[in-house]
Amino acid sequence: MSARRRSILVVDDTPDSIMVLCALLKEAFDTKVAVSGEAALRVLRAAPVDLVLLDVMMPGLDGYEVCRRIRAAPATAALPVVFLTARDTAEDAARALAAGGSGHLAKPVDPDRLHAMLARCFGVPP
């Protein structure tokens, strides 16, 4: 019997970003998709995942608020959340960490950096 594949929730309001991320993840992970912060929180209440890739700039709830809500819920408080953003300054990275993020990656996402970040979050060698 094989080990269960880890699952990742991809949260982004841009279809192209979702398509690229899911393509990068499909070999090693099961993916779920949400196109808004509100939808992400509904997905997380319905079924657990092992990690969230979370866009920062979305209409409605932005990624920072979604992460704060993930951290506030006992069932998801320890869930790794990696922010994805077109904004890549030290201030943006600090804001992501202050909101409870486990990491911060710039868009467009570099596949090697993404896989290294996932390995770090899961505690395995890249």
Side-chain angles (χ1 to χ4, degrees):
M1 179 179 279
S2 64
R4 178 185 73 84
R5 282 171 49 112
R6 289 189 169 118
S7 61
I8 295 178
L9 174 60
V10 175
V11 185
D12 201 306
D13 62 325
T14 308
D16 287 343
S17 292
I18 292 170
M19 187 174 61
V20 167
L21 287 165
C22 288
L24 290 172
L25 299 169
K26 72 180 179 182
E27 294 299 320
F29 301 96
D30 290 331
T31 56
K32 297 179 183 195
V33 173
V35 295
S36 70
E38 294 87 352
L41 295 171
R42 284 192 301 273
V43 169
L44 290 172
R45 283 191 296 270
V49 298
D50 298 301
L51 184 137
V52 177
L53 291 176
L54 182 60
D55 186 21
V56 171
M57 296 180 291
M58 296 182 292
L61 295 179
D62 69 12
Y64 301 122
E65 180 58 26
V66 173
C67 189
R68 284 189 283 274
R69 292 182 186 196
I70 289 170
R71 292 288 170 255
T76 57
L79 183 65
V81 176
V82 175
F83 282 98
L84 304 173
T85 182
R87 295 180 173 171
D88 190 28
T89 67
E91 182 180 307
D92 295 313
R95 189 169 177 199
L97 294 174
S102 307
H104 173 268
L105 292 171
K107 288 182 179 179
V109 173
D110 174 88
D112 292 334
R113 291 190 74 183
L114 172 64
H115 289 290
M117 176 68 73
L118 296 176
R120 184 180 66 78
C121 287
F122 290 133
V124 296

